[in-house]
Amino acid sequence: MTTFAAFGIGLATRTLDTGKILDTWYPELGTGGDVGGAVALAAALGHDGGTTTHVLDAEVLAGSELAATDPVARAVAGVTAVTATPAPTRTERVPVATFVADLGDAPVDAHDVYLRLHLLSHRLIRPHGANLDGAFGLLSNVVWTDLGPCDPEGFEQLRLALETAGHRLRVTSIDKFPRMTDYVVPSGVRIGDADRVRLGAHLAPGTTVMHEGFVNFNAGTLGASMVEGRISAGVVVGDGSDLGGSASIMGTLSGGGSAVISIGEGSLIGANAGVGISLGDGCVIEAGLYVTAGTKVALPDGNVVKARELSGRDGVLLRRDSQTGQVIALQREGAAGDWGGLNAALHAND
């Protein structure tokens, strides 16, 4: 029997002139190779067990063993019903099935990357649950518009042609990653500004992302959390934690570092604060204080250490002495979240 680590049934957008893949949307997907409908589909396509994307052909699939009631069969019927008629954006949408042999291997193409990002935002895997090495190089830079993804090459001519036809094209961004909500709307979350959550973000039920909050791909929350600041790529935030307004957590993309930053449960990062080390459970960082790995921190016993030596410890309070300016670490005696904790009413997002 054919096995695979993940599969997705979807629609890929490609340019008419070069066939460049601009995006792939997977309305049906899953992990594991024992999903009946997906296994039957793989067999019908002659899938060889590698990481591959197949263009779906309704005639080829007509004689397969897919049960009409199977969700995979329904998804196949749905995407193959979308014709390849050229869109006004000089693109076409093509029904595809993608199979990933091993999520621990680096992705091989844009379809593969998009499937992994969907798995994250559907909460089928957690951040760092799939290898995303080289993802940027596999994705095209895209002009995201109200008519769908467009190729930046020749875009101004396309805009003029559409304007002449009576449609004023609205551009929302130019980026390799789209906003999550155009592809996945997870249950139990609130998002104040959809532009600030990228596809590939993992938002656990009970998460509230306020208007100035930001969540990057391969990052997010593992439980109910308040996000009013920035969760950078690779960062995970534990249940019951609060990231205050304009606060930030350093990721691994821009700074060249390799350490994976995590925030434990019931922790608070104050407004305008920031952190470049991991925090354990029940930690607090004072508003306005930015702590990097190399920040010199005074301990209660009088010793001074670099903040990286405190990384991952529970119950740490980090603040700045208002008279000397020295950063101080104190051991908190209370339980996680005893700084007041999250307002339950703000996170009942059903």
Side-chain angles (χ1 to χ4, degrees), residues 249-326:
I249 309 169
M250 293 176 64
T252 57
L253 287 180
S254 298
S258 59
V260 176
I261 303 297
S262 62
I263 305 301
E265 298 184 359
S267 290
L268 170 66
I269 301 177
N272 296 308
V275 61
I277 62 171
S278 291
L279 299 180
D281 298 340
C283 293
V284 174
I285 295 185
E286 177 185 68
L289 175 63
Y290 208 116
V291 179
T292 66
T295 299
K296 297 293 183 66
V297 181
L299 304 180
D301 61 8
N303 288 325
V304 176
V305 300
K306 291 185 177 180
R308 65 169 58 93
E309 297 187 31
L310 305 176
S311 186
R313 292 192 188 180
D314 295 338
V316 175
L317 166 64
L318 288 162
R319 65 178 181 84
R320 189 181 295 278
D321 187 298
S322 60
Q323 294 183 329
T324 66
Q326 187 175 43

Side-chain angles (χ1 to χ4, degrees), residues 62-217:
S64 72
E65 297 181 2
L66 287 176
T69 56
D70 190 283
V72 171
R74 293 196 297 270
V76 169
V79 297
T80 53
V82 178
T83 65
T85 303
T89 51
R90 299 172 186 166
T91 61
E92 62 181 355
R93 303 188 81 189
V94 182
V96 295
T98 298
F99 298 92
V100 177
D102 189 341
L103 290 171
D105 294 337
V108 301
D109 58 20
H111 303 293
D112 189 355
V113 175
Y114 266 94
L115 178 54
R116 295 173 195 232
L117 296 177
H118 277 71
L119 291 170
L120 283 159
S121 290
H122 276 287
R123 303 187 294 234
L124 294 176
I125 60 174
R126 286 188 170 193
H128 308 288
N131 187 337
L132 287 169
D133 291 348
F136 273 91
L138 296 173
L139 298 180
S140 299
N141 206 28
V142 174
V143 180
W144 302 100
T145 78
D146 55 339
L147 288 183
C150 299
D151 191 352
E153 184 70 28
F155 178 75
E156 293 306 334
Q157 292 78 12
L158 171 64
R159 191 204 300 264
L160 179 58
L162 288 171
E163 182 80 25
T164 303
H167 185 91
R168 189 172 189 84
L169 203 60
R170 179 175 179 269
V171 176
T172 57
S173 66
I174 306 171
D175 197 0
K176 292 193 173 189
F177 288 77
R179 57 189 176 193
M180 180 186 73
T181 54
D182 287 343
Y183 298 80
V184 180
V185 177
S187 61
V189 305
R190 286 194 295 127
I191 301 173
D193 184 348
D195 287 339
R196 298 183 64 83
V197 180
R198 271 176 155 180
L199 181 64
H202 180 288
L203 301 182
T207 296
T208 296
V209 183
M210 297 300 286
H211 294 74
E212 294 304 315
F214 174 80
V215 186
N216 213 331
F217 73 97

